[in-house]
Amino acid sequence: MAQEHFAFVRSHMLPEAPPPAAERGAIKWLRENLFSSAANSLLTVVSLYVVIQIVISAAPWFLNGVWDSPSLTACRDILDGNMGGCFAVLTERWNQLLFGFKYPSELYWRPGLAFILLFVAGAPLLFYKLFPSKMLIFTGLYPFIAYWLIWGGSILVPVFALLGVLLGVYVYKRTVAASAGMAVIAGFVAALIFWILSGFITAPMENVLAIEAVPSRDMGGFMINLMLGVVCVSLSVPFGIVLALGRQSSMPIIKWICVVFIEFIRGVPLITLLFVANVVLAYFLPPGTSFDLILRVIIMITMFASAYIAEVIRGGLAALPRGQYEAADSLGLDYAQAMQLIILPQALKISIPGIVNVAVGLFKDTTLVSVISMFDIVGMIRGPILASAEWNGVYWELFGFAALLFFVTCYGISQYSQWLERQLQTDHR
Amino acid sequence: MAAETQLKVSDEVAVEITKMNKWFGAFHVLRDIDLTVYQGERIVIAGPSGSGKSTLIRCINALEEHQKGSISVDGTVLSSDVKNIDKVRSEVGMVFQHFNLFPHLTILENCTLAPIWVRKTPKREAEEIAMHFLEKVKIPEQADKYPGMLSGGQQQRVAIARSLCMKPRIMLFDEPTSALDPEMISEVLDTMIELAEEGMTMLCVTHEMGFARKVANRVIFMDQGQIVEQNEPEEFFNNPQSERTKLFLSQILGH
């Protein structure tokens, strides 16, 4: 009986229907994430209340903000007892916050241009898949162009600095087959000797092809933080690699130099090193030599960061299975090739989160130079701006602005590193 | 069987090991090893674990340093001179138990890396050579994948191709099938048999006694860092001389 009734032919096809409202988009998300249980619903409501309270109390401070006023008193007059931020200090003193108070204002375009070119130079390095590798030539030249733009003076100085680097690389390439460790030292010494000798040539010719020079002591503001951050991070990664490899070296002298350096630098606070750079180093230099303060600070921060990065990279090296070293060896690759082609690409990939951690920390630590009387952004705020009669007493706006600049940069670095890690993901575990 | 074992063995010496000793710390791993390998020979080294068989073949391409005695490979005496060692390594291919492919490079890049950097072969030529050997191990279609996307057997075949791209005169196999699932062992062994039939000089540490019977023209049995017995496979398996060998064979072939 029933057998006769299951025969069925569909007479019309059902159209596609959307899922029920409760299982869709925003409502589904709300239900699952915010109101999944009574306790969660309560928490959601309470949190929402707190957030709204914060926004309500902070909003007038932003909305009533005064953007145009010559001084704090004038700003308070405009506000007339109402709540509001005196952002006029930012529009009034933006140049000091960014460039310091002595950098000639008609030359602001030069560091500005260097800043823009930084992105052109960095792009092929950071997004190596998207840009032609020929752009790396510009990346290589960029440090010397940027130096010339920011400090000015004769073009001979950066040109000779570049020649010194090229000589160092040449010496390294010629000696690397014999011993990679010795080649690094030989290349470094060759470049150093070349720079010292070229000092005798450039010193009397300081007006050859010169643009207006700006001395280091006239620089300040966020420019200094950016300069120190970019230079020290990009120098400390290669130095960190050399130190990490040196620490694993089978040559006892190289190994112990690296171990002592890393352990000593890590055991000393950065601020101490900066005081050394500022004061103590001068005692060791021959009298009359002026060794640029920014250069001294760059050396100290680079040393500090490379010791940390070396340890991060050592962790990456240790994480590689021994088989990778053996496979590279068994194919006949020499030490430098094995490191460059097999070991470091993998070890550095593992080390990315650690390196970025050090880089972000280092970038923020550049504000410590304000303690040794350099006028970086914090130094500018605490010194010339807050000490001025017009703006004495403006704290939230200024430090908030500085925090915003640092946050944007550091968050950018962090996002980039996560993107890079995804890019380098080749093992499908 | 007999016809196969007579294959092209020449009088030319490929590896000459005399009175070679090695210690790990105070542990005497290899004791007075004497071994002459002729060009075209296929030697299987068997023995219980810890007998020093892997260490022995790792000494031949200087992955392990020996402390006494001498090893010469193709006339080059292994010393602590780095140049010397790199030269020997580029002539001697090695296949590992755990494949040791480079996970950050594609299959093709794994195969072209050493020819390009060590042999200075132009990139295009190196790629042609690599494709030739990948076809030989029957996985040319995987060339653009990464090692992590391949099965164990495929990875081991890539590892063999990677070694062959250097056109080695001697191949060392260090338990090439020990890390593989049973159904993948035969695809790797087939590749090795094919290689042996072409006259490649091979030293192979393995527990695959079937492979030894079929391919080897000499089986070496090691125990406690010494060569205990060596013979043609037929004799070795059917008529072992030492008690230690008999015990080993009864354990390994017992069931």
Side-chain angles (χ1 to χ4, degrees):
Chain A
M1 173 73 190
Q3 295 254 325
E4 291 163 27
H5 289 288
F6 68 77
F8 168 75
V9 177
R10 182 170 286 286
S11 54
H12 68 284
M13 303 304 283
L14 294 175
E16 207 176 304
E23 289 302 321
R24 203 162 14 128
I27 294 170
K28 176 182 156 94
W29 185 88
L30 280 175
R31 238 172 41 129
E32 279 180 1
N33 293 290
L34 299 180
F35 300 101
S36 59
S37 70
N40 271 352
S41 308
L42 186 68
L43 264 178
T44 303
V45 173
V46 171
S47 317
L48 204 64
Y49 175 76
V50 172
V51 170
I52 290 173
Q53 280 302 311
I54 291 175
V55 169
I56 287 177
S57 49
W61 191 72
F62 286 101
L63 295 176
N64 293 346
V66 176
W67 290 89
D68 187 20
S69 145
S71 73
L72 184 60
T73 30
C75 166
R76 289 199 172 135
D77 286 345
I78 297 172
L79 282 171
D80 197 22
N82 287 326
M83 188 190 183
C86 286
F87 301 111
V89 66
L90 303 180
T91 49
E92 186 80 351
R93 299 291 178 102
W94 66 273
N95 50 348
Q96 295 192 346
L97 287 167
L98 295 184
F99 300 102
F101 64 112
K102 279 196 268 182
Y103 203 92
S105 56
E106 72 277 10
L107 299 180
Y108 282 164
W109 66 271
R110 281 182 6 197
L113 180 62
F115 180 67
I116 292 166
L117 289 179
L118 174 65
F119 292 95
V120 182
L125 208 59
L126 299 178
F127 304 97
Y128 58 96
K129 279 182 184 160
L130 308 179
F131 293 89
S133 53
K134 281 210 176 108
M135 276 177 75
L136 284 171
I137 296 171
F138 179 75
T139 309
L141 295 176
Y142 174 76
F144 308 99
I145 297 171
Y147 170 84
W148 194 49
L149 280 172
I150 294 172
W151 271 270
S154 165
I155 198 170
L156 288 179
V157 176
V159 165
F160 274 89
L162 174 62
L163 290 177
V165 171
L166 292 179
L167 178 74
V169 170
Y170 175 76
V171 170
Y172 169 82
K173 291 247 160 148
R174 288 307 295 265
T175 48
V176 68
S179 158
M182 289 303 160
V184 169
I185 296 174
F188 195 68
V189 169
L192 209 61
I193 292 173
F194 180 85
W195 285 329
I196 293 171
L197 292 180
S198 66
F200 294 109
I201 303 171
T202 51
M205 305 217 288
E206 57 189 21
N207 291 323
V208 177
L209 290 171
I211 54 176
E212 191 180 334
V214 183
S216 287
R217 62 173 180 279
D218 286 356
M219 292 177 193
F222 194 61
M223 184 174 86
I224 283 204
N225 299 105
L226 262 185
M227 260 160 38
L228 291 177
V230 171
V231 173
C232 295
V233 168
S234 30
L235 285 179
S236 61
V237 171
F239 278 119
I241 292 173
V242 170
L243 282 172
L245 293 179
R247 192 169 182 161
Q248 291 200 326
S249 170
S250 54
M251 283 181 267
I253 298 177
I254 291 186
K255 180 177 175 171
W256 286 110
I257 290 176
C258 293
V259 169
V260 168
F261 179 88
I262 291 172
E263 296 300 336
F264 174 75
I265 297 286
R266 283 205 309 168
V268 177
L270 176 58
I271 196 79
T272 319
L273 290 176
L274 290 178
F275 278 122
V276 169
N278 190 23
V279 188
V280 187
L281 222 55
Y283 291 120
F284 293 106
L285 294 170
T289 44
S290 63
F291 197 55
D292 192 279
L293 180 60
I294 290 188
L295 185 59
R296 279 181 279 171
V297 168
I298 284 178
I299 291 173
M300 284 302 178
I301 299 183
T302 302
M303 274 168 43
F304 188 77
S306 34
Y308 276 87
I309 288 182
E311 286 298 281
V312 170
I313 292 174
R314 190 167 70 99
L317 290 170
L320 282 194
R322 237 175 85 83
Q324 292 292 311
Y325 292 86
E326 289 176 352
D329 283 347
S330 76
L331 287 170
L333 297 171
D334 64 30
Y335 176 80
Q337 289 169 337
M339 290 301 136
Q340 179 198 340
L341 301 168
I342 308 297
I343 306 302
L344 284 176
Q346 296 183 61
L348 288 177
K349 187 184 128 194
I350 301 172
S351 314
I352 289 173
I355 292 176
V356 168
N357 204 17
V358 174
V360 165
L362 174 148
F363 180 55
K364 291 181 298 180
D365 281 352
T366 57
T367 52
L368 284 176
V369 298
S370 63
V371 179
I372 55 165
S373 61
M374 280 172 80
F375 290 101
D376 76 314
I377 188 163
V378 172
M380 281 307 299
I381 293 173
R382 295 199 322 151
I385 298 180
L386 281 179
S388 68
E390 295 91 347
W391 296 108
N392 189 355
V394 190
Y395 291 100
W396 283 94
E397 295 82 347
L398 286 169
F399 284 113
F401 177 67
L404 182 71
L405 285 182
F406 278 101
F407 175 77
V408 167
T409 324
C410 294
Y411 186 69
I413 297 173
S414 155
Q415 287 298 308
Y416 167 75
S417 83
Q418 287 173 32
W419 175 83
L420 182 65
E421 274 179 71
R422 285 195 298 274
Q423 285 289 303
L424 295 175
Q425 190 82 38
T426 59
D427 46 348
H428 297 257
R429 271 182 277 188
Chain B
M1 189 77 75
E4 276 180 46
T5 43
Q6 281 169 11
L7 276 171
K8 322 160 209 160
V9 176
S10 71
D11 304 337
E12 203 184 326
V13 174
V15 181
E16 174 104 68
I17 301 174
T18 36
K19 292 261 170 261
M20 192 261 281
N21 281 267
K22 167 153 186 74
W23 287 264
F24 282 132
F27 176 49
H28 202 169
V29 216
L30 294 175
R31 309 175 193 174
D32 275 351
I33 303 284
D34 282 305
L35 177 65
T36 307
V37 181
Y38 294 96
Q39 199 70 51
E41 263 199 302
R42 301 166 304 280
I43 295 179
V44 163
I45 304 173
S49 63
S51 58
K53 48 196 194 313
S54 285
T55 312
L56 172 60
I57 66 165
R58 288 159 61 87
C59 281
I60 293 173
N61 68 350
L63 282 186
E64 303 285 355
E65 212 178 338
H66 61 283
Q67 276 94 31
K68 222 174 112 195
S70 83
I71 301 177
S72 88
V73 179
D74 250 350
T76 313
V77 178
L78 279 178
S79 61
S80 54
D81 181 10
V82 181
K83 280 249 166 73
N84 230 333
I85 292 176
D86 283 340
K87 178 165 176 285
V88 166
R89 282 173 177 166
S90 65
E91 302 293 334
V92 178
M94 180 142 189
V95 176
F96 299 87
Q97 181 178 356
H98 296 287
F99 334 133
N100 297 349
L101 294 178
F102 306 129
H104 62 301
L105 301 176
T106 63
I107 300 305
L108 188 65
E109 287 166 339
N110 263 281
C111 293
T112 56
L113 183 105
I116 290 175
W117 288 84
V118 179
R119 293 256 190 270
K120 314 289 177 205
T121 316
K123 189 171 177 228
R124 177 155 309 167
E125 200 184 321
E127 281 174 354
E128 276 166 20
I129 297 171
M131 285 316 290
H132 168 74
F133 284 111
L134 285 175
E135 264 158 40
K136 205 170 142 115
V137 301
K138 305 191 181 61
I139 31 178
E141 70 282 0
Q142 313 282 9
D144 294 322
K145 291 193 181 167
Y146 286 95
M149 305 154 96
L150 269 55
S151 74
Q154 290 174 322
Q155 289 196 44
Q156 193 60 295
R157 283 184 283 152
V158 172
I160 294 173
R162 177 176 72 177
S163 293
L164 292 178
C165 286
M166 288 293 282
K167 307 261 172 80
R169 292 169 55 81
I170 303 163
M171 284 287 284
L172 308 174
F173 292 85
D174 188 1
E175 305 203 21
T177 55
S178 300
L180 294 176
D181 291 341
E183 70 264 33
M184 293 172 182
I185 290 178
S186 67
E187 62 184 56
V188 171
L189 288 182
D190 286 346
T191 310
M192 290 167 63
I193 291 168
E194 202 178 309
L195 202 57
E197 281 165 358
E198 288 170 14
M200 175 65 78
T201 313
M202 292 165 68
L203 278 95
C204 186
V205 173
T206 183
H207 298 297
E208 297 295 330
M209 290 302 132
F211 172 79
R213 269 179 193 271
K214 195 167 177 190
V215 174
N217 52 354
R218 185 158 28 142
V219 179
I220 291 177
F221 177 69
M222 285 183 74
D223 190 31
Q224 293 172 20
Q226 296 148 76
I227 295 179
V228 175
E229 188 166 345
Q230 54 171 317
N231 213 330
E232 285 182 5
E234 204 71 4
E235 279 289 291
F236 178 84
F237 288 110
N238 297 339
N239 191 15
Q241 299 299 308
S242 89
E243 286 306 312
R244 188 67 192 87
T245 317
K246 286 175 190 165
L247 178 65
F248 176 77
L249 286 177
S250 74
Q251 279 166 342
I252 202 168
L253 304 170
H255 42 99

